[in-house]
C-alpha cells in the first residue's frame, strides 16, 4: 500500500470514528436529559445507578458496533488502492553496473523509452560550458542531473514525439553530440537540451532516484 493511500485510509477512518463517537455522545446526552425530565425527584437516586449502567451498556455496544463497522469498511476502502502490479508498473529499477563510460541503454517506463547515459568527462564539460541564457529552453546541466556522469532522459522528441537517435554508438548524434531526431531535424546536446530544429523544449527528465551506486529507480 502506498504511503498516500495509507494516509487517506487513516484520515477516512479517523473522520468516521470521530463522527461516530461525537454522535454517540450527543445521543447519550439527549437520552439523559429526557430521563431527567420524566423522573420523580425521590426516584432519581436509585434510578441514577440504573441509568449509569444502561449508559455504559449503550456506549459499550455502540463502540463495539463502531469498531465492527470500521472493520467491515476496511476492505472496501483498501480496494480503492491501486493493485500491486499497477504500482510495480509505475516504477522501474535498472542495474547500472554494466553500463560503461560513454555507453547508453534504453529501458521502458510507463510505455516511454528512457535513455540512460553514462557520460564521459568531455560530455559533462561540453554540457556545462555553454551560455544558458542563449538556450531555447534555458536549463543548467546541473539542474538536469543528480550525478554528473548519469543523464536520465525521456527519449521522446518534444516536437511531435519521435524517438531521437543517439543511443547506439553508430547512431547520428546531431550537431551537438547528443541526440538527433530525424523526423524533422531536431538536435539535442549532451544534456538532452534542444539546440537546433523545431522541437520547443529539452528532452524531459523523468522522476528518478539512486537506490545505491549501481541501482536506479525510475518513477
Ligand atoms: S518529432 Fe522530432 S523533430 Fe519532429
Amino acid at each position: 500500500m502506498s504511503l498516500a493511500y495509507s494516509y487517506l485510509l487513516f484520515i477516512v477512518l479517523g473522520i468516521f470514528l470521530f463522527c461516530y463517537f461525537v454522535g454517540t455522545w450527543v445521543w447519550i446526552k439527549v437520552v439523559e436529559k429526557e430521563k431527567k425530565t420524566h423522573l420523580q425527584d425521590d426516584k432519581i437516586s436509585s434510578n441514577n445507578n440504573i441509568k449509569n449502567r444502561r449508559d455504559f451498556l449503550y456506549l459499550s455496544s455502540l463502540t463495539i458496533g463502531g469498531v465492527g463497522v470500521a472493520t467491515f469498511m476496511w476492505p472496501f476502502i483498501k480496494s480503492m488502492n491501486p493493485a500491486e502490479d499497477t504500482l510495480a508498473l509505475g516504477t522501474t529499477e535498472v542495474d547500472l553496473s554494466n553500463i560503461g563510460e560513454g555507453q547508453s541503454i534504453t529501458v521502458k517506463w510507463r510505455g516511454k523509452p528512457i535513455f540512460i547515459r553514462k557520460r564521459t568527462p568531455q560530455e559533462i564539460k561540453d554540457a556545462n560550458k555553454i551560455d544558458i541564457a542563449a538556450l531555447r529552453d534555458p536549463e543548467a546541466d546541473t539542474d538536469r542531473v543528480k550525478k554528473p556522469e548519469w543523464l536520465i532522459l525521456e527519449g521522446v522528441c518534444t516536437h511531435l514525439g519521435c524517438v531521437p537517435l543517439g543511443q547506439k554508438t553508430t547512431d547520428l548524434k546531431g550537431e551537438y553530440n547528443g541526440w538527433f531526431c530525424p523526423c524533422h531535424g531536431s538536435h539535442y546536446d549532451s544534456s538532452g537540451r534542444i539546440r537546433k530544429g523545431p522541437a520547443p523544449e529539452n528532452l524531459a527528465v523523468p522522476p528518478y532516484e539512486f537506490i545505491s551506486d549501481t541501482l536506479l529507480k525510475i518513477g
Side-chain angles (χ1 to χ4, degrees), residues 124-136:
I124 298 167
K125 199 172 161 191
D126 290 346
N128 282 287
K129 72 176 182 191
I130 61 165
D131 177 11
I132 295 165
L135 293 172
R136 184 178 301 167

Side-chain angles (χ1 to χ4, degrees), residues 8-37:
L8 177 66
L9 195 58
F10 284 116
I11 287 168
V12 170
L13 278 176
I15 291 171
F16 167 75
L17 288 173
F18 175 77
C19 295
Y20 187 85
F21 284 114
V22 168
T24 304
W25 182 78
V26 169
W27 180 69
I28 285 173
K29 289 293 166 194
V30 169
V31 171
E32 201 175 0
K33 201 172 176 184
E34 277 177 5
K35 280 179 183 171
K36 267 183 189 167
T37 309

Side-chain angles (χ1 to χ4, degrees), residues 156-164 180-188 194 196-199:
V156 179
C157 180
T158 59
H159 181 220
L160 293 177
C162 290
V163 177
F180 172 65
C181 184
C183 298
H184 309 92
S186 287
H187 298 249
Y188 296 91
I194 183 63
K196 187 177 176 184

